[in-house]
Amino acid sequence: MNKKLAFVLSGGGSRGALQVGALYALLEAGIQPDFLIGASIGAVNATFLALNRFSKDSLDQLAAAWRSAGTSDLLPANYIWLTVRAMFNRSSSDPSHRLRNFFIDHGLAPELSFMDITQPSLVIVSADLNTGKPILHGEQPDDKILDALLLSTALPPWYMPVRKQDRYLMDGAVVSNLPVEPALNLGATQIVALDLIDSRETFGEGNGIRGFLDRLIFTVEKRQLDLELALAEARGIPILYLGLTGKLPVPIWDFQHTDGLISEGYEIAQKVIEGARFTNPILVRGG
């Protein structure tokens, strides 16, 4: 059987900077993916690396893009107010243009399609609310990467779902925040999972609406995670699991902690990789 190593990158908003640090550690360890698959912010990181290859230079460019996100106000902090405005159809403008322009400014040309990517290949996960299933963008080579990425990051109330034919598409984290099952269905025989779930979100906002939303999101993500990891174990697929939790909880909309999160992600991954040289040598080899 041909080996097929997948990097699986979860959603997590601004905490995606932790993945950048972890990717530096994976590169240093000589771990190269055959394909990248991500949801939400994980899809953003995966797309950048697929377009620019997995190298020190591309990671440096990705880190620079993350720093610029700190001044772009991509996810305004007043999301409760945005929710109320959306409920009453009072949004004054389409904020998705801000995110679209950010992607274009950092090298994602609108005309690029999945067939333009060679190695590693790329799959972007969005969610179809009409079927409750993940949609895997990249299986059709002529699909546009920018369109897929905007669907995978369409997280209300900041960016609203998109109706497309008989589908109602939004952020891929809704159905598979850490898309292990999609990676298995695409033929992955080995997986490196970069997970941003953080249980501390459930304790930060008390019992109000924010507390409820945080607990609800965490419950859905945790249930997905447990089931998808169990599925990989049942199929005998080895996983190098990187649980990327920073020292302090960071809200998904707060992009002001990039450098610190990159450093923390690197340290976490380095420790896991070193331990895996002995416990999971299929994925990580010494030297």
Side-chain angles (χ1 to χ4, degrees), residues 81-269:
W81 176 238
L82 291 173
T83 301
V84 173
R85 289 184 65 84
M87 288 173 61
F88 291 96
N89 295 316
R90 295 295 298 276
S91 296
S92 58
S93 62
D94 180 5
S96 65
H97 289 305
R98 185 182 306 171
L99 191 60
R100 177 185 177 88
N101 291 338
F102 182 85
F103 291 151
I104 293 173
D105 290 344
H106 289 86
L108 182 51
E111 66 272 12
L112 281 175
S113 61
F114 286 90
M115 70 177 67
D116 296 314
I117 295 176
T118 53
Q119 186 66 22
S121 57
L122 172 68
V123 177
I124 293 173
V125 180
S126 70
D128 181 8
L129 297 188
N130 284 342
T131 63
K133 295 181 179 180
I135 302 298
L136 306 185
H137 306 273
E139 293 187 303
Q140 300 298 321
D142 56 348
D143 284 351
K144 301 302 181 187
I145 298 172
L146 178 58
D147 292 344
L149 194 56
L150 288 171
L151 292 172
S152 184
T153 54
L155 178 63
W158 295 284
Y159 309 111
M160 300 308 292
V162 176
R163 295 187 184 276
K164 193 172 183 180
Q165 297 176 342
D166 59 342
R167 293 174 173 173
Y168 193 46
L169 301 170
M170 65 169 290
D171 192 301
V174 173
V175 292
S176 188
N177 187 51
L178 183 68
V180 169
E181 181 185 16
L184 295 173
N185 293 339
L186 291 167
T189 61
Q190 303 171 333
I191 290 174
V192 175
L194 291 82
D195 188 20
L196 299 172
I197 192 172
D198 190 343
S199 63
R200 294 172 299 183
E201 286 183 318
T202 62
F203 307 115
E205 300 292 348
N207 295 319
I209 185 64
R210 286 193 177 186
F212 165 74
L213 290 174
D214 287 341
R215 288 173 174 83
L216 177 63
I217 292 169
F218 172 75
T219 299
V220 172
E221 290 180 350
K222 184 64 167 61
R223 181 61 172 165
Q224 291 171 356
L225 174 64
D226 291 345
L227 291 173
E228 297 199 36
L229 292 179
L231 178 62
E233 182 179 5
R235 295 187 184 181
I237 303 299
I239 292 185
L240 182 66
Y241 177 79
L242 303 178
L244 302 174
T245 303
K247 295 175 183 177
L248 296 173
V250 175
I252 64 171
W253 61 83
D254 186 355
F255 287 81
Q256 302 301 315
H257 307 278
T258 288
D259 286 321
L261 292 176
I262 290 175
S263 296
E264 291 175 26
Y266 175 81
E267 293 172 3
I268 294 168

Side-chain angles (χ1 to χ4, degrees), residues 59-82:
L59 284 174
D60 289 345
Q61 294 173 41
L62 180 57
W66 268 92
R67 294 185 187 101
S68 71
T71 61
S72 301
D73 197 26
L74 296 177
L75 297 180
N78 60 334
Y79 69 90
I80 298 298
W81 176 238
L82 291 173

